[in-house]
Amino acid sequence: HKIDQNLRIGNLVDAENDGLPQANAFGDDVNGIDDEDGIIPPAVIIRDVPAVFQVFVTNETGAPAYLQGFVDWDNDGSFEDNVAFTKAPLVTIPADSSGYFEVTFMVPTVPIPLPDRVAARFRLSDENQLVRFSYGPSVALAATPSVSNDILGEVQDLYVNIAAYDW
C-alpha cells in the first residue's frame, strides 16, 4: 500500500520498505522508531465477550477512510483462518477527522483455552471493502494481484495478552 501522511494510525506513520519480520513482531520497533503507537487494547480479554480496541486515526484526505482489525485467535500465524471473529467489521472514518475509533471483536469460544498471547493487526485504508489482512481488497486480489499497491493506508501490528478466562 502507499503511505500518505494524511491517512495514519497513531502519531507516527509505519513506513518501512520491508516489514522487518522478527519472531516477536518487534522488528520495526527496534529500528530506532516505535511507530506502533495508535492502538489501545482492552484491559481484559475474555472468551465469548466483545473486545473493544481504541484506535487513534487521522484522516485528512478529504474522503472517507476505512479501518479494519484482525486477530489470530488460534495463534497459528495467519489472519486468514476460518476461525470465527478473526476479522472485525469495517469502521468508516469520516473525511477530515482525527480521534479514537472503536474496533470491536467478539472473542471466540474456541480454541479452548485461548492462547496466552495473540497477534492483532489493524489496517487503515481508502478501500471500502472487507480486505485480506495485508493484500488489499479480497475481490480484486484474485483478478489483479498488484491492486494492493494502489491503496493508500497504514498497517499496525501488536500482540495482545489474553488476561482472563470465563471460568
Side-chain angles (χ1 to χ4, degrees):
H1 60 272
K2 294 180 190 175
I3 299 297
D4 183 339
Q5 291 289 335
N6 295 318
L7 186 62
R8 65 185 180 275
I9 299 172
N11 293 311
L12 301 172
V13 173
D14 196 355
E16 296 84 19
N17 288 328
D18 180 353
L20 303 172
Q22 188 255 358
N24 289 317
F26 299 127
D28 70 337
D29 292 338
V30 295
N31 68 346
I33 301 171
D34 184 2
D35 49 16
E36 308 287 342
D37 65 342
I39 302 158
I40 301 172
V44 177
I45 296 177
I46 302 172
R47 185 175 40 190
D48 204 27
V49 174
V52 180
F53 290 76
Q54 300 291 324
V55 183
F56 189 83
V57 171
T58 298
N59 176 17
E60 297 171 340
T61 64
Y66 305 91
L67 177 63
Q68 189 174 17
F70 310 84
V71 175
D72 181 15
W73 294 116
D74 65 356
N75 208 25
D76 71 348
S78 173
F79 295 105
E80 293 296 323
D81 292 325
N82 289 325
V83 175
F85 312 118
T86 298
K87 296 178 185 177
L90 282 175
V91 176
T92 300
I93 310 300
D96 302 316
S97 64
S98 183
Y100 282 97
F101 292 83
E102 291 184 349
V103 176
T104 303
F105 296 89
M106 186 63 182
V107 181
T109 57
V110 292
I112 299 174
L114 286 170
D116 291 336
R117 182 175 83 154
V118 295
R121 172 167 286 172
F122 294 84
R123 186 175 187 278
L124 176 65
S125 73
D126 62 346
E127 179 57 54
N128 68 350
Q129 301 177 42
L130 291 176
V131 296
R132 290 180 148 297
F133 72 94
S134 64
Y135 300 119
S138 48
V139 173
L141 179 65
T144 313
S146 64
V147 73
S148 64
N149 294 329
D150 297 330
I151 297 171
L152 291 178
E154 181 179 6
V155 173
Q156 288 195 5
D157 298 326
L158 72 153
Y159 273 110
V160 179
N161 292 318
I162 309 294
Y165 295 102
D166 58 351
W167 55 52

